[in-house]
Amino acid sequence: GKESTPTIFFKEIKREADIIHFALHASIDKEDWLKSKLYFRSFNTETKALEHRAVNGYELAQLNIQSPLVVLSACQTGVGANIHGEGTYSLARSFIKSGAKTIISTLWNINAQQTSELFYHFYKLLKQEQSSCIALSNAKVEYLKHSDEYLSFPGFWAGVISLS
């Protein structure tokens, strides 16, 4: 909400949490993953307008996040330069470098409505003490059970992946 600012984020991220879930915008720099950004939308009380404030990948990588699970519900958070023998350098990697154990990220632009439905099933299954990887896989099956022919297209759900 109105308190979603980078300052609040950096303050709150130091608290222990089992799950950190981000539902926001991202921009990806495929050449330099540390320049990729997450955008926090906040209300500027002086201008009475919504603003987007960026947090860079290099800032995220320097955090000390001990959360077992970080969910990045934003476009292309798993996209970046693929380095032979190293893997993909992306915003998701920033969180791995910061100490997070498992990251749920995305491989392409996502639809907020359909992704929220997928995560509804994911959290319901996670609450049943399924591992995050199994819960995500089963959430995709549940999503498909509740989707019509159009919404079952893989572009709506298949790009959400788990990294450990």
Side-chain angles (χ1 to χ4, degrees), residues 4-120:
S4 174
T5 66
T7 304
I8 298 291
F9 163 71
F10 284 117
K11 179 180 174 187
E12 293 295 317
I13 201 74
K14 294 176 183 172
R15 293 178 34 204
E16 287 188 29
D18 291 334
I19 301 169
I20 301 171
H21 185 111
F22 294 94
L24 34 73
H25 295 288
S27 67
I28 306 308
D29 186 322
K30 292 181 183 178
E31 303 300 317
D32 186 353
W33 63 291
L34 295 172
K35 292 181 182 174
S36 293
K37 297 171 177 44
L38 289 179
Y39 291 94
F40 290 79
R41 190 170 78 178
S42 60
F43 184 75
N44 184 323
T45 54
E46 292 176 17
T47 64
K48 307 264 190 256
L50 288 174
E51 296 178 342
H52 287 90
R53 296 185 183 166
V55 175
N56 294 292
Y58 68 85
E59 294 172 287
L60 299 168
Q62 295 173 8
L63 296 173
N64 181 21
I65 298 175
Q66 298 304 311
S67 174
L69 177 62
V70 173
V71 177
L72 299 174
S73 184
C75 295
Q76 301 184 9
T77 55
V79 173
N82 190 8
I83 310 299
H84 183 70
E86 293 292 324
T88 303
Y89 282 77
S90 64
L91 276 172
R93 188 164 198 111
S94 293
F95 282 95
I96 291 171
K97 287 192 68 68
S98 74
K101 306 300 180 242
T102 301
I103 315 297
I104 305 289
S105 65
T106 60
L107 297 176
W108 49 73
N109 291 341
I110 58 173
N111 177 291
Q113 178 63 40
Q114 301 328 120
T115 305
S116 69
E117 290 183 31
L118 176 66
F119 282 124
Y120 167 79

